[in-house]
């Protein structure tokens, strides 16, 4: 652990987060292993560790420790051992019903109190018991613990589904995946009071880390796929389109068909699919156009690179065209030599070592590349939005004058202050954007909610951009804090999908307009350089702000709101809402 931690701390940039771990069992090693996974995700945690089995008291009767720590995240680690009053065979049906209500009410009270600290809260549901008094009937009779825990988990599920900033760490599934006999160790419980087997703590810690990194926008965004023996069995150039294994009519094709179905569902979650394959393009396409039993269609891919270039070259081209970071991609290829080349040439891409088609889904799922904590309408549209962007880029080649090209896009949309209706997408955009991001601040949902609820303290702005090729969704947002007659731009981010469209001019026009309405005289702003945001290094100067400090660590700017101001945007007809 010490060796791994020392190596991970050599990284240059981290997101600092405060994490309180409160528990109904021993949690020391959970903290230690969780720290390693978070450092791997470029998250540097500062921990507050609660006392043994004192999660309820420490939350409900905080002595100031939690409040003063001001956690960004609270993880409450409970297990079936923390259910106070499980049913017994002697209980009446009414007794069991009352016990269920009491347990859920206690659970809900703890969650509500945790949320009151303004943190993102992560809670467990409950694993099944390691023995059953009624055998299989334990899942049926009201007095069965399996029945009781199942009902309690359902109530917890329904409660969490309706709450902002509250996320479920599903140890019911995790323990089932690992196996109850492996998940829980009576020896570890009696000796150390660990509610899961010590050697399964990494599985638990990884599950928590995946949730945290997802809330901070650190999920992968695209899968790049080989074709032969990856999306179908066989080599299409040698075996012909009819000779490849796909479909459910033969055992050889079933695993590839299920993998394609899985990828189709990933695409529905907003994950972009691309192809990088050594093949003749016209022949490779036939695997989707002529084998109609294949779940994927040719149109499901954003970029289809089938040629004889090195795959790393094709992948680099895809990365450049999509204009997102190398670390946002996962590459799947059955060939270990090809995987190794990509690892060496593009070290930030995740390249799982897959051995057979039956393992492809597991390799992606278990790695948690696409852990979902929010799922918005914009996510559903993401593939189409990227295709819209590709069409706009192609149209640009027809114009020699860039201003004429922008006008040709017929850009419209809406602009306004933050609202609860858009809070999930705004939070997601803040935590995902790296290139057009001046300060790289990250906000939790509760922090965005605070901006919404304190309109006197903040000026906020979001904008949705539509062009003749389609709806790009909410693609930019800004937060400026107000102090007297000064507004300071704390955060300004924009999706890479709409860069260089003059949307930044429309947003700044809106900010100046809001400042004038409030009698604000000065706008202040900062640029804090990172490895990814060089794009906006001179953006404030280009908009018209005055640089008052220029150092390697930061650049500071001011803008005089009182002077005559002419709107800078000339090409976007955006409605204020």
């Amino acid at each position: 652990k010490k060796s791994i931690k020392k190596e991970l701390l050599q990284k240059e940039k981290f997101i600092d987060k405060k994490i309180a771990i409160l528990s109904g069992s021993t949690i020391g090693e959970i903290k230690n292993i969780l720290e390693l996974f978070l450092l791997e995700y470029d998250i540097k945690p500062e921990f507050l560790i609660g006392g043994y089995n004192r999660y309820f008291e420490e939350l409900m009767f905080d002595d100031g420790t939690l409040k003063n720590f001001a956690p960004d995240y609270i993880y409450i680690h409970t297990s079936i051992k923390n259910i106070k009053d499980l049913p017994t065979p002697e209980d009446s049906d009414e007794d069991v019903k009352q016990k269920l209500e009491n347990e859920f009410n206690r659970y809900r009270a703890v969650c509500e109190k945790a949320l009151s600290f303004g943190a993102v809260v992560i809670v467990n549901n409950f694993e099944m018991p390691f023995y059953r008094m009624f055998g299989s009937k334990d899942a049926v009779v009201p007095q069965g613990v399996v029945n009781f825990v199942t009902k309690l988990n359902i109530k917890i599920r329904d409660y969490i589904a309706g709450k902002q900033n509250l996320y479920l760490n599903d140890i019911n599934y995790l323990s089932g995946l690992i196996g109850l006999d492996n998940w829980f160790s009576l020896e570890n419980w009696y000796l150390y009071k660990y509610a899961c087997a010590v050697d399964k703590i990494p599985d638990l810690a990884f599950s928590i880390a995946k949730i945290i990194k997802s809330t901070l926008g650190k999920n992968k965004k695209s899968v790049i796929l080989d074709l032969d023996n990856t999306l179908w069995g066989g080599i299409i150039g040698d075996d012909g389109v009819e000779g490849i294994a796909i479909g459910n009519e033969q055992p050889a094709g079933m695993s590839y068909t299920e993998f394609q179905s899985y990828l189709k569902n990933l695409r529905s979650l907003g994950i972009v699919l691309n192809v990088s394959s050594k093949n003749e393009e016209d022949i490779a396409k036939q695997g989707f156009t002529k084998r109609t039993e294949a779940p994927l269609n040719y149109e499901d891919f954003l970029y289809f690179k089938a040629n004889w270039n090195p795959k790393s070259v094709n992948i680099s081209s895809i990365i450049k065209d999509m204009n997102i970071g190398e670390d946002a991609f996962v590459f799947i290829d059955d060939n270990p030599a090809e995987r190794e080349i990509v690892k060496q040439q593009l070290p930030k891409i995740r390249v799982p070592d897959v051995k057979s088609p039956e393992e492809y889904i597991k390799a992606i799922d278990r790695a948690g590349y696409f852990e979902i904590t929010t799922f918005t309408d914009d996510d559903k549209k993401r593939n189409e939005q990227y295709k819209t962007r590709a069409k706009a880029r192609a149209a640009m080649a027809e114009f020699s004058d860039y201003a004429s090209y922008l006008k040709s896009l017929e850009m419209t949309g809406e602009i306004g202050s933050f609202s609860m209706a858009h809070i999930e997408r705004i939070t997601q955009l803040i935590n995902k954007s790296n290139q057009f991001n001046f300060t790289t601040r990250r906000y939790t949902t509760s922090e965005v909610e605070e901006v919404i609820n304190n309109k006197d303290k903040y000026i906020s702005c979001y904008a949705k951009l539509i062009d003749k090729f389609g709806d790009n969704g909410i693609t930019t947002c800004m937060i400026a804090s107000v102090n007297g007659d000064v507004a300071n731009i704390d955060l300004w981010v924009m999706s890479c999908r709409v860069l260089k469209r003059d949307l930044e001019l429309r947003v700044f026009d809106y900010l100046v307009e809001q400042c004038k309405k409030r009698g604000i005289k000065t706008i202040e702003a900062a640029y804090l350089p990172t490895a990814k945001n060089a794009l906006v290094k001179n953006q404030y100067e280009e908009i018209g702000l005055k640089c008052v400090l220029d150092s390697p660590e930061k650049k500071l700017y001011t803008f005089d709101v009182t002077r005559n101001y002419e709107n800078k945007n000339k090409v976007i007809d955006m409605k204020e809402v």
Side-chain angles (χ1 to χ4, degrees):
K1 288 181 295 187
K2 290 180 180 178
S3 175
I4 294 171
K5 180 177 177 180
K6 183 178 180 181
E7 181 181 347
L8 290 170
L9 285 171
Q10 299 304 309
K11 297 182 180 184
E12 292 184 0
K13 295 287 184 179
F14 289 99
I15 299 173
D16 294 320
K17 290 296 174 183
K18 292 183 177 182
I19 301 173
I21 303 181
L22 309 178
S23 182
S25 60
T26 304
I27 53 179
E29 283 305 307
I30 295 172
K31 171 259 181 187
N32 292 336
I33 303 301
L34 175 60
E35 182 176 27
L36 298 183
F37 284 121
L38 292 175
L39 290 172
E40 169 67 10
Y41 287 132
D42 303 326
I43 303 164
K44 191 174 182 180
E46 177 187 345
F47 287 105
L48 173 69
I49 304 301
Y52 169 74
N53 197 21
R54 288 189 54 80
Y55 72 96
F56 185 85
E57 291 83 359
E58 288 172 340
L59 277 168
M60 303 304 291
F61 311 107
D62 177 42
D63 62 1
T65 301
L66 260 178
K67 182 179 179 181
N68 292 333
F69 181 65
D72 299 298
Y73 290 86
I74 296 175
Y75 169 53
I76 306 171
H77 176 58
T78 53
S79 73
I80 194 171
K81 290 293 185 181
N82 297 111
I83 297 179
K84 294 291 186 183
D85 203 5
L86 288 167
T88 67
E90 291 81 12
D91 286 332
S92 68
D93 290 1
E94 191 58 37
D95 290 336
V96 175
K97 184 178 179 181
Q98 188 59 54
K99 284 184 175 183
L100 182 64
E101 287 303 311
N102 291 344
E103 289 298 334
F104 174 69
N105 289 337
R106 175 184 171 86
Y107 188 99
R108 180 172 55 191
V110 166
C111 292
E112 295 289 344
K113 187 64 177 181
L115 288 167
S116 72
F117 288 93
V120 172
V121 179
I122 302 170
V123 292
N124 298 339
N125 54 10
F126 295 103
E127 74 277 35
M128 290 294 117
F130 71 94
Y131 68 91
R132 303 173 298 175
M133 292 302 300
F134 294 92
S136 291
K137 204 171 180 64
D138 216 72
V140 179
V141 297
Q143 292 75 14
V145 174
V146 171
N147 186 319
F148 186 88
V149 172
T150 300
K151 288 179 179 177
L152 182 56
N153 281 342
I154 290 172
K155 291 175 78 68
I156 290 168
R157 176 204 69 190
D158 293 343
Y159 166 66
I160 290 177
K163 299 296 290 186
Q164 296 279 2
N165 275 344
L166 182 61
Y167 299 101
L168 178 69
N169 181 44
D170 192 357
I171 67 169
N172 182 41
Y173 177 84
L174 188 60
S175 61
L177 182 68
I178 291 170
L180 282 174
D181 284 344
N182 299 314
W183 173 260
F184 182 77
S185 165
L186 270 176
E187 181 182 15
N188 291 164
W189 175 252
Y190 293 146
L191 288 174
Y192 317 116
K193 287 297 186 285
Y194 273 111
C196 73
V198 171
D199 65 337
K200 297 300 176 282
I201 287 175
D203 298 276
L204 173 66
F206 186 43
S207 181
I208 303 161
K210 288 186 292 186
I211 295 170
I212 294 174
K213 64 94 176 173
S214 177
T215 64
L216 293 173
K218 288 185 167 291
N219 278 350
K220 306 304 177 187
K221 299 178 182 178
S222 172
V223 183
I224 302 177
L225 298 140
D226 176 46
L227 295 175
D228 295 330
N229 291 314
T230 300
L231 288 186
W232 54 64
I235 300 173
I236 196 169
D238 295 338
D239 302 325
V241 66
E242 296 302 328
I244 61 173
I246 192 70
N248 291 317
E249 297 302 317
Q250 51 180 323
M254 290 181 181
S255 57
Y256 295 104
T257 303
E258 185 165 11
F259 182 46
Q260 285 199 24
S261 296
Y262 171 79
L263 292 168
K264 188 95 170 180
N265 286 331
L266 270 187
R267 187 181 185 277
S268 298
L269 293 175
I271 309 305
V272 179
L273 305 183
N274 295 293
V275 164
S276 175
S277 173
K278 288 182 177 177
N279 250 306
E280 294 292 342
E281 183 173 352
D282 290 341
I283 295 174
K285 288 179 181 178
Q286 293 176 14
F288 305 102
T289 59
K290 291 191 176 181
R291 292 299 296 267
T292 56
E293 64 267 54
L296 288 172
N297 302 313
Y298 173 70
E299 291 75 19
D300 289 327
F301 301 99
L302 180 61
Y303 292 105
F304 195 94
K305 306 279 187 180
N307 51 47
W308 297 105
N309 294 332
K311 292 180 182 178
S312 58
V313 172
N314 284 333
I315 294 171
S316 294
S317 174
I318 292 170
I319 293 171
K320 181 179 179 182
D321 288 344
M322 287 189 66
N323 194 28
I324 56 179
E326 181 183 313
D327 57 357
F329 293 85
V330 178
F331 176 59
I332 306 293
D333 193 319
D334 70 294
N335 189 323
E338 296 286 1
R339 295 199 301 266
E340 186 60 30
I341 292 171
V342 171
K343 286 179 184 178
Q344 292 181 9
Q345 297 296 317
L346 301 164
K348 293 183 180 179
I349 289 183
R350 293 295 185 182
V351 186
D353 290 325
V354 292
K355 295 179 175 62
S356 65
E358 295 81 11
E359 295 183 0
Y360 294 168
I361 296 175
K362 183 189 292 187
I364 296 175
D365 178 69
R366 301 294 191 271
Y369 298 130
F370 309 108
E371 182 83 19
I372 301 296
T373 47
T374 58
F375 184 52
T376 67
D377 288 339
D378 270 57
D379 293 317
K380 298 175 186 177
K381 300 173 184 175
R382 182 161 295 116
N383 276 273
E384 295 311 312
Q385 289 168 347
Y386 271 108
K387 288 195 172 186
T388 295
R389 180 180 163 197
K391 291 177 183 176
R393 188 187 301 109
M396 184 167 57
E398 301 176 8
F399 292 85
S400 57
D401 175 62
Y402 192 68
S404 298
Y405 159 69
L406 289 180
K407 290 180 181 179
S408 77
L409 292 176
E410 302 171 9
M411 291 182 286
T412 61
E414 66 181 45
I415 190 168
S417 59
F418 290 1
S419 69
M420 292 301 295
H422 304 303
I423 189 169
E424 285 194 357
R425 171 55 186 161
I426 288 169
T427 305
Q428 183 187 68
L429 181 62
I430 290 171
N431 289 302
K432 281 187 174 183
S433 301
N434 295 303
Q435 295 182 82
F436 194 107
N437 189 333
F438 291 91
T439 58
T440 65
R441 282 194 60 180
R442 307 296 185 184
Y443 285 66
T444 64
T445 309
S446 61
E447 289 171 324
V448 175
E449 189 172 348
E450 181 184 349
V451 172
I452 294 172
N453 293 331
N454 291 277
K455 297 187 184 299
D456 292 338
K457 291 174 58 179
Y458 299 98
I459 298 173
S460 64
C461 171
Y462 81 92
K464 177 187 291 187
L465 187 67
I466 302 169
D467 59 40
K468 67 180 181 181
F469 296 108
D471 186 349
N472 294 281
I474 295 174
T475 51
T476 187
C477 57
M478 173 191 281
I479 298 172
S481 54
V482 176
N483 185 11
D485 60 1
V486 176
N488 186 80
I489 301 175
D490 299 323
L491 171 133
W492 189 3
V493 299
M494 188 181 300
S495 169
C496 60
R497 296 198 300 268
V498 295
L499 296 179
K500 306 299 183 183
R501 297 276 200 95
D502 282 5
L503 182 57
E504 66 276 10
L505 302 182
R506 182 63 183 91
V507 171
F508 193 73
D509 289 345
Y510 179 87
L511 175 63
V512 172
E513 176 189 341
Q514 297 303 310
C515 286
K516 285 182 177 293
K517 287 181 179 179
R518 295 191 185 202
I520 291 169
K521 297 178 181 179
T522 305
I523 294 171
E524 295 180 348
Y527 165 68
L528 307 178
T530 72
K532 293 184 177 181
N533 71 352
L535 173 77
V536 294
K537 180 179 180 180
N538 300 312
Q539 188 73 65
Y540 279 133
E541 287 101 320
E542 293 172 9
I543 292 175
L545 280 75
K546 179 182 178 182
C547 183
V548 294
L549 174 67
D550 189 348
S551 73
E553 293 79 26
K554 60 184 175 182
K555 297 173 75 174
L556 300 179
Y557 298 88
T558 63
F559 184 85
D560 183 1
V561 179
T562 63
R563 70 185 188 185
N564 291 332
Y565 182 82
E566 180 181 349
N567 285 343
K568 299 176 182 297
N569 163 58
K570 308 297 182 185
V571 295
I572 304 175
D573 183 16
M574 193 163 275
K575 177 181 68 174
E576 290 194 20
V577 294

